[in-house]
Structures are given as structure tokens and as C-alpha cells.
Amino acid sequence: MVNRCSKLVLVCVVSFFLLIDCTVEQQFLVSRQERLALLQLRSSLGLRAKEWPLKSDPCTAWAGIKCTNGRVTVINVSGFKRTRKGSQNPQFLVDALQSFTFLSSFNASNLALPGSIPEWFGLRLGSLQVLDLRSCSIVGTIPFSLGNLSSLAELHLSDNNLTGIVPTSLGQLLLLSVLDLSQNSLTGLIPRTFSALGNLTFLDMSLNFFSGAIPLEIGTLSRLQYLNLSGNSLSSSIPAQLSDLSNLVDLDLSINSLLGSIPPGLRGLKNLQKLIIGNNFLSGTLPGDLFPPLTQLQHLVLSHNSFTGDFPVVLWSMPQLRFLDASRNNFTGTLPDLSLNANASVAVFNISQNFFYGNLTSVIRRLRFIDVSGNYLQGRVPDYASGNTPLSRNCLRNVASQRSASECASFYAERGLVFDNFGMPNGTQPLAPKSDKTHREVIILASVLGAAGLIALLAIVFVLLILCKRKTGATNQRSIGVGPVPANGSSPLGASLNFSSLGDAFTYKQILEATGEYSDLNLIKNGHSGDFFRGILENANPIVVKKFDLRSSVKKEAYMLELDLFSKVSHQRLVPLLGHCLENENEKFLIYKYMPNEDLSSSLFKKTNSDDGSLQSLDWITRLKIAIGAAEGLCYLHHECNPPFVHRDIQASSILLDDKFEVRLGSLSEICVQERDTNQNSITRLLRLPPSSDQGTSGTWDFLKH
Ligand SMILES: *[C@@H]1O[C@H](CO)[C@@H](O)[C@H](O)[C@H]1NC(C)=O
Ligand SMILES: *[C@@H]1O[C@H](CO)[C@@H](O)[C@H](O)[C@H]1NC(C)=O
Ligand SMILES: *[C@@H]1O[C@H](CO)[C@@H](O)[C@H](O)[C@H]1NC(C)=O
Ligand SMILES: *[C@@H]1O[C@H](CO)[C@@H](O)[C@H](O)[C@H]1NC(C)=O
Ligand SMILES: *[C@@H]1O[C@H](CO)[C@@H](O)[C@H](O)[C@H]1NC(C)=O
Ligand SMILES: *[C@@H]1O[C@H](CO)[C@@H](O)[C@H](O)[C@H]1NC(C)=O
Ligand SMILES: *[C@@H]1O[C@H](CO)[C@@H](O)[C@H](O)[C@H]1NC(C)=O
Ligand SMILES: *[C@@H]1O[C@H](CO)[C@@H](O)[C@H](O)[C@H]1NC(C)=O
Ligand SMILES: *[C@@H]1O[C@H](CO)[C@@H](O)[C@H](O)[C@H]1NC(C)=O
Ligand SMILES: *[C@@H]1O[C@H](CO)[C@@H](O)[C@H](O)[C@H]1NC(C)=O
Ligand SMILES: *[C@@H]1O[C@H](CO)[C@@H](O)[C@H](O)[C@H]1NC(C)=O
């Protein structure tokens, strides 16, 4: 002993010179009884000699043991490995603990102690300040006696298999500052006696089966900084008394069955950084003035509730907000167009599955990431929205996986809003954006294959056409039936037109409304005979409008030719004319049925709905069907019409396809009447390119030139 003491003095002196604090805690264990108890504990828990070596002094050499004045005060066996024998049959055998009169901390977290907490814990460990038994595989109930541990400051029982109710006696632990009962199978009510835990700063009761209401008394825990009641079966509403918890930093009430609206008093929680109330049945509108006082708010989860009404604009520019999940609610309104503060550039927002509508705005660009999928946003997708913005299931143009036009139209109509997206066919996906760099190779490949496919297809058309001509040409006695084509471009049309075959008369106002006043978004193309626009009628039927500006003589002629054609012929292989609008002197309109599969050039290869950008190519049966359809259409014009017509503009974009991929020939203002002398080879004529705009020589063709 003398020898040891002199060694200690030497150590202290050396330490002193090395400026190392040499406190009394470095003393050796003085209690023979406690030494025996430690050995007993070592054997009952099956601990290894590696951590607790027999021959050395526990206070100085054993892992996790701390002593004060030669008595054990801290036992930390957290995560210890066991001997092979000890790990075969681990048990909650810690009777030896009763021998440590000064034990203030017992930490056995992550050490399996299957069994239940003995009743004597509360009666024999009176000096305990910290009890940490998390993840110890404990079963059974929390003993009532734990309420007698009057010095207890921290009680960690999380991640076990505790059952039964929480004893009300825990309310006697006046010094308790941390109480963690999370991740067990505890049931019953949250005890009202908790209101006495005036020193409590941390209360976690998440992931249990607590039911009933959140007790109002929780509002008296004025030091509380962390309150987590997530993942229980709590019902009733959020008590307004919570607003008294002015020190609260984290509040998590998510995944319960809470009802009602958010009490406006919560604006008293001025230190709140996390507010998580997702996955409940909360409803009502969010008071806009709730948030500005919460200047520290960083993390807000409102998802999976039934909140309604306008989304508070202030939330977009909360100074510290880094994460907002408002998904799956009934929030509505437009996205604001305001410049957010600098911190928004690190913020992640999720407003998916709500009822947001209107245009995408630059607010999207200012956030690091935002999920807006499953709303009713409309209009063109600006370049800046790609990349940080999931956009699916909206009413947007030029992106894939959107809602159907009728769904969008009725959403906007129900709310008396203007739906200005006419571009979308009913129930089909709009085409993906053309400038998609990541899929460039796929698209190049597709173009090459597409061109090859197109050439093959056109070849088949011509072969069929020749066959068709051989069959019908001999027998078909052509004669002039219907009236003559106007002799020159300026001849009056009205008299000779058969309006009954020109479909409905539309008013100019209807045309304006249908095309969104010729919105650029609805422009399909500027053809040389007229401009094509998409449109949607009041009854939600999609249409295509062709606008002829009669001030251009080329377009005037094209207009008259086409009007004339439709007044004379009607065939299921020609694009269906729904109507006309001839009200204005200088602008005339023809209205066609919308072709859901657009034209051959866009249908040959189509983007699939999957996001990988893969292209789906038309199957060969459909290709053959299209070839035959195109041939039938040409055959009709060429051999069944009197006088016969030549299309002169057969290309992939004039072969329109309806919903069943049946061919409907378009570009009909290129058509001309074929001369009646049959000496000329009709194939060479078919191959003639559409005439250029320069004036040609005189002849029968000239008056038809564009
Ligand atoms: C408890 O013991 C473990 C394992 O030795 C150690 O990692 C941990 O820091 C100790 N904790 C305390 C509070 O002493
Ligand atoms: C118990 O030990 C674990 C593991 O070392 C540690 O993380 C935990 O903080 C300790 N418990 C207490 C209450 O200090
Ligand atoms: C709780 O008990 C079940 C079996 O009843 C077991 O599968 C599970 O691992 C236990 N959980 C813990 C945390 O010990
Ligand atoms: C434990 O606390 C109960 C009250 O909850 C009290 O009646 C009992 O006397 C206490 N036991 C001891 C040993 O302190
Ligand atoms: C909080 O703890 C202190 C001792 O640290 C104690 O004096 C006081 O009574 C406790 N407060 C409450 C409200 O229980
Ligand atoms: C609340 O508890 C749950 C489950 O234990 C956990 O997932 C969640 O992160 C906790 N909330 C906060 C704010 O720490
Ligand atoms: C951004 O956040 C920091 C701390 O997270 C805060 O100090 C600062 O005021 C915030 N900036 C703005 C513009 O609100
Ligand atoms: C946004 O919320 C929805 C619904 O809660 C969820 O499905 C989606 O994964 C979230 N988006 C992101 C990017 O986390
Ligand atoms: C929210 O929207 C859904 C889907 O339209 C509807 O069924 C539900 O009644 C709405 N809830 C509220 C509270 O308005
Ligand atoms: C939406 O965007 C379109 C252009 O894409 C614009 O014409 C229209 O005015 C915008 N609507 C609103 C409400 O800003
Ligand atoms: C659009 O589709 C819906 C159902 O999918 C249908 O009721 C409606 O009549 C369609 N409208 C048009 C214009 O085809």
C-alpha cells in the first residue's frame, strides 16, 4: 500500500509538472464490497477480462468505471462485447448494482439485457442520476418504483420492448431533464402528472401506442426544448397550451390522428426550429401571421394532412427555412413571383400533390430543389425549371407525364379560372421537350432509323399506288361531274360553295377563345399556305385551326382551293373538317378535328412514358396499315374524284393519324386538279415538288400555283 501511495504521489508530481490535472477521481477502489460486486456483475453479464481485467484496479484500469473518493460512481458497459459463454444466454441480471451506494450513472445501452426492469431498481439505486438502458431488448413494464429515484436527471429507455402504461409515479422525478421512452410498445394515456416535471428539457415518447389527447398540462413544462410524440395514436386537437413552451426548439407531433386546425397561439414558439405535424388529420387554413414570428424556423413538415386554402406566401421567404414539406394537402393558389432571400438557395421544398395552379414562376429557380408534381400548374416549362423540379402530373406543356387535357380543363373551369393550355390532346401525353441534351444520342439514332423507316414507308405507298392505279385506272371513266374549279384566284367563291359540306360556322370569338388568341404556345407551325394553331372548344374537344391571311395572294389562293376541295369531296381518308369561320374580311379560318397521333413524322418514333427517354418505334403492322391508308387516300383523290386531284405535298407531316392510326391526309391546300389528258405519266407528276412561289409560265397549272 505504502509503495502504491508513493507511486501515486510521484505520478501526481510528474503530472503537475506536465500541467495535467490530477484529481481525486484517479484513486483506487477502496471498497472491498464494491470490488466483489463488480466481479459479480462481470460474471452475471458475461463481460470479458479484456475490458475488466481481474488483476488490475477497477477505478483506474477498467473500461467504463469511474470512482469518486474510492467508490464506484459511474458504470458504463455500453456496447460491451461478451464472453462466448456470456453471449449464449444474456439476461437482465444486475443484482450486484444494489451494492453501489454512490452509483450515479449506469449506462448499459446497446448491451442485450433480455428481461424486465426489477422493481428494486427504484428502491435501491436512490443516488442514480443517469439511467441509460436504450436498445437493451428489455421487455415487461416500467416499474412504478422508478418514481422513487428522486435524483434522476436522465432516463433513457428507448428502443426496447416495454409494454403497459407509463406509471404516473414518473411525475415525481422533479429533477428529471431528459425522459426518452421512444420506440417501445407502451400504451395508455400520457400521464398528466408529467406536468410536475418542471426541469424537463427533452421529452421523447415517439413510436409507441399512446392514445387519447395530448394533455394540456404539457404546456406547463416551460423548459422543454424537445417534444416528440410522433408515431402514436393520439387524437383530438393540438392543445393551444403548447404555445406556452417558449423554449421549444423541436416539436414533432407527426403520424398520429390529430384533428382540427393549428392553434394560432403557436406563434408564441419563438425558438422553434423544427415543426413536424405531417401525417395527421389536421385541416383548416394556415394562418399567414403564424409564421413571421417563428424567425428561427428551419424545418417545417405539414404533409399528409387536409389543410385547405391559400398557401401562405410568407413561407416562401422565411429567413431560415431550409426544408418545407407541404405535400399531399389541399393547398391551393398560384406560385408567387418574388425574389427570395439568399438562404433560399439551400432550401428544399415539396409542395407536390396539392391544388396549385397557374404558371411556373422564377421562385422555382431560387430554391435548391422543389417538387411540384401532382398539381395543376400550366403553361410552358421554362428552361430554368429543368433539373431541380419534378414536374409530373400537372397541366404543363412540353414535358412528359402530365394530366389529361379534360382533367385540367375541368379543374380550371370549376374554379372559374382561365385554362390557357390548349396544346394537350385528351388523355395523351404531350411530347417531351426537343432540346433534351441527355437523350441526344437516342434522338440521333432515332432520326436515322426514322428516316430509313420513312423512306421504306413512302416506297410502299408508291408501290401500292401503282397497283391501285392498274386496278381502277382502266375501268374508271372520268367525266366532269361537280362544277369546275374557279378559273382564277380572284373569282367569287360564295356562289359555287356548298356550305353544308363545310361543317359548322364558328364565330370569330369562338376561334379566339379556342386558341387563346393565337397564343404562341398553341402555334403548331407557320405553313406557307396558312398558320396552324391548336385549340380547345368550350366542350373540351381539341381542334386544329388553320388561319389564312387573305392579304397574301398565295394564302388567299390556298384558302380558296381548300375551301373548294372540301365543298366537293368528303372521304374518310381526308382530315375531317369540323367547320369554318369566314366572318372576317381578311382572315379566314378552317377548323379541323384534332388528330391524337399527330402526323407520321412524330408518330414513327415516340418517347415512352418512362423517364429514361427511351423511344418507342411504330410496329410494322401499324406501318403497313399507314402505308395502305395513305395509298387509299391518294387513290381516292386521283382516281375517284371528278376531276381528279393531285396532292403534290405528300410527306410524313401531311400523313395525319387519328387515335387508331388510321390515315387522314392533310396539307390539302397543296392539291391541284389534274389535267384530263392521260398521256402524262401520273407518277412523275406525283413526284413534282410543291411549286415555288415565283411566277411560272402560263398554263393550266399556273392559276393553282402558290
Ligand atoms: C461508455 O463506454 C463506451 C464504450 O467503452 C464509450 O464509447 C463511451 O464513450 C462511454 N460513454 C460514457 C458516457 O462514458
Ligand atoms: C451511454 O453510452 C452511449 C454509448 O457510448 C452514449 O452514446 C450515451 O450518451 C451514454 N448515455 C449517457 C446518458 O450518457
Ligand atoms: C421486440 O420483440 C420482438 C419479438 O417479440 C423482437 O422481434 C424484437 O426484436 C424486439 N425488439 C427489440 C427492440 O428488442
Ligand atoms: C416510493 O414512492 C412511493 C410513492 O410513490 C412511496 O409511497 C414509497 O414510500 C417510496 N418508497 C421508498 C422506499 O422510498
Ligand atoms: C429543477 O431542479 C432544481 C435543482 O436542480 C430544483 O431545485 C427545482 O425545484 C426543480 N424545478 C422544478 C420546477 O421542479
Ligand atoms: C421524433 O421521433 C421519430 C421516431 O423516433 C424520429 O424519426 C423523428 O426524427 C423525431 N423527430 C425529431 C424532430 O427529432
Ligand atoms: C440565413 O441563415 C443564417 C443562419 O442560418 C442567418 O443568420 C441569416 O440571417 C439568413 N439570411 C437571411 C437573408 O435571412
Ligand atoms: C414529395 O412528397 C411526396 C408525397 O409526400 C413524396 O411522394 C415525394 O417523394 C416527395 N418528393 C421528394 C423529392 O422527396
Ligand atoms: C381535399 O381534396 C380531396 C381530393 O379532391 C377531397 O376528397 C377532400 O374532401 C378535400 N379535403 C378538404 C378538407 O377539403
Ligand atoms: C403565364 O405564362 C404565359 C406565357 O407562357 C403568359 O402569356 C401568361 O400571361 C402567364 N400568366 C400569368 C397569370 O402570369
Ligand atoms: C376527354 O376524356 C374524357 C375521359 O377520359 C372524356 O370524358 C371526354 O369526353 C374527352 N374529351 C374529348 C374532347 O375527347
Side-chain angles (χ1 to χ4, degrees), residues 354-613:
N354 279 289
F355 296 101
F356 288 96
Y357 57 84
N359 288 353
L360 288 171
T361 66
S362 60
V363 86
I364 297 228
R365 177 174 35 179
R366 298 177 203 281
L367 299 168
R368 184 160 75 84
F369 179 89
I370 179 169
D371 186 345
V372 301
S373 57
N375 283 287
Y376 290 86
L377 297 165
Q378 67 169 353
R380 265 187 69 80
V381 177
D383 291 343
Y384 57 72
S386 55
N388 71 340
T389 318
L391 297 167
S392 62
R393 287 192 55 72
N394 274 286
C395 302
L396 294 163
R397 290 201 53 189
N398 64 338
V399 277
S401 314
Q402 298 295 297
R403 293 180 192 271
S404 73
S406 57
E407 194 181 354
C408 293
S410 71
F411 172 88
Y412 277 79
E414 273 167 27
R415 287 160 180 78
L417 300 165
V418 180
F419 177 48
D420 70 358
N421 178 12
F422 300 97
M424 273 191 326
N426 199 5
T428 61
Q429 308 298 337
L431 295 175
K434 293 197 171 78
S435 61
D436 198 339
K437 281 178 196 157
T438 55
H439 305 313
R440 186 178 273 170
E441 287 129 89
V442 181
I443 287 169
I444 290 173
L445 184 65
S447 317
V448 171
L449 291 176
L454 190 62
I455 289 168
L457 208 50
L458 288 176
I460 296 175
V461 170
F462 283 123
V463 169
L464 286 169
L465 202 57
I466 292 164
L467 291 179
C468 163
K469 181 180 162 64
R470 287 213 179 121
K471 251 190 216 164
T472 59
T475 54
N476 191 6
Q477 293 302 314
R478 293 178 207 148
S479 60
I480 301 167
V482 199
V485 171
N488 60 62
S490 59
S491 80
L493 275 163
S496 63
L497 283 182
N498 172 9
F499 278 98
S500 65
S501 60
L502 288 178
D504 299 332
F506 285 77
T507 63
Y508 184 57
K509 190 160 163 277
Q510 280 177 302
I511 303 286
L512 283 181
E513 276 168 12
T515 60
E517 308 196 348
Y518 321 128
S519 150
D520 278 352
L521 300 179
N522 290 321
L523 181 67
I524 300 170
K525 67 170 178 186
N526 299 107
H528 51 96
S529 57
D531 300 334
F532 291 86
F533 294 90
R534 297 182 181 88
I536 290 190
L537 296 178
E538 274 166 347
N539 61 8
N541 280 336
I543 54 170
V544 171
V545 174
K546 185 171 183 184
K547 176 180 161 196
F548 299 88
D549 185 347
L550 298 199
R551 281 163 297 199
S552 140
S553 60
V554 169
K555 291 182 180 169
K556 188 172 184 177
E557 279 174 16
Y559 158 69
M560 285 190 296
L561 275 174
E562 193 164 347
L563 207 57
D564 182 58
L565 175 81
F566 274 115
S567 77
K568 289 186 182 127
V569 303
S570 142
H571 191 263
Q572 83 263 14
R573 286 295 175 204
L574 303 184
V575 62
L577 185 73
L578 295 177
H580 54 271
C581 168
L582 312 178
E583 264 175 39
N584 292 4
E585 199 182 332
N586 285 328
E587 281 178 334
K588 307 287 182 189
F589 303 89
L590 292 181
I591 294 98
Y592 313 92
K593 195 167 170 185
Y594 181 83
M595 292 288 109
N597 283 308
E598 312 208 345
D599 61 40
L600 184 56
S601 60
S602 62
S603 276
L604 214 45
F605 286 97
K606 247 192 171 149
K607 269 214 173 158
T608 54
N609 291 345
S610 63
D611 290 335
D612 60 4

Side-chain angles (χ1 to χ4, degrees), residues 194-250:
F194 278 13
S195 61
L197 303 175
N199 280 315
L200 208 61
T201 58
F202 182 103
L203 177 58
D204 192 347
M205 305 182 77
S206 64
L207 290 177
N208 279 288
F209 299 102
F210 293 115
S211 55
I214 300 173
L216 316 181
E217 289 79 3
I218 285 212
T220 62
L221 304 177
S222 59
R223 297 197 184 167
L224 212 55
Q225 292 172 10
Y226 182 97
L227 175 58
N228 193 343
L229 304 177
S230 161
N232 283 291
S233 307
L234 299 168
S235 53
S236 181
S237 55
I238 300 177
Q241 283 78 358
L242 287 191
S243 58
D244 296 334
L245 302 176
S246 58
N247 289 305
L248 209 58
V249 175
D250 296 320

